[in-house]
Amino acid sequence: MADNLYEIDSAMNMIKEDIIRELSESVTRQNKVPYHRQTISNNLSFSDKTLD
């Protein structure tokens, strides 16, 4: 039983590391989007944003 728990724990740790890595890569890619584009949409009025 202890061997099974160890294998389950190891597998869950590997899955957790994969998820953390994927999230980190996603955030890195998202942060590469030019900030200029983000600031322009923040300066739009509410009525302009609904058309965007």
Side-chain angles (χ1 to χ4, degrees):
M1 180 71 172
D3 288 340
N4 286 345
L5 292 177
Y6 178 77
E7 289 178 16
I8 291 170
D9 189 50
S10 295
M12 290 179 70
N13 282 335
M14 288 173 37
I15 292 168
K16 180 176 71 173
E17 289 172 2
D18 286 346
I19 291 171
I20 291 171
R21 185 179 313 107
E22 288 176 13
L23 286 172
S24 177
E25 290 171 358
S26 176
V27 168
T28 300
R29 282 192 303 272
Q30 191 174 21
N31 285 340
K32 288 183 179 179
V33 173
Y35 185 73
H36 175 70
R37 188 171 159 197
Q38 190 176 19
T39 57
I40 289 174
S41 65
N42 288 343
N43 291 333
L44 295 175
S45 69
F46 179 75
S47 61
D48 291 337
K49 285 183 181 179
T50 58
L51 298 175
D52 194 21

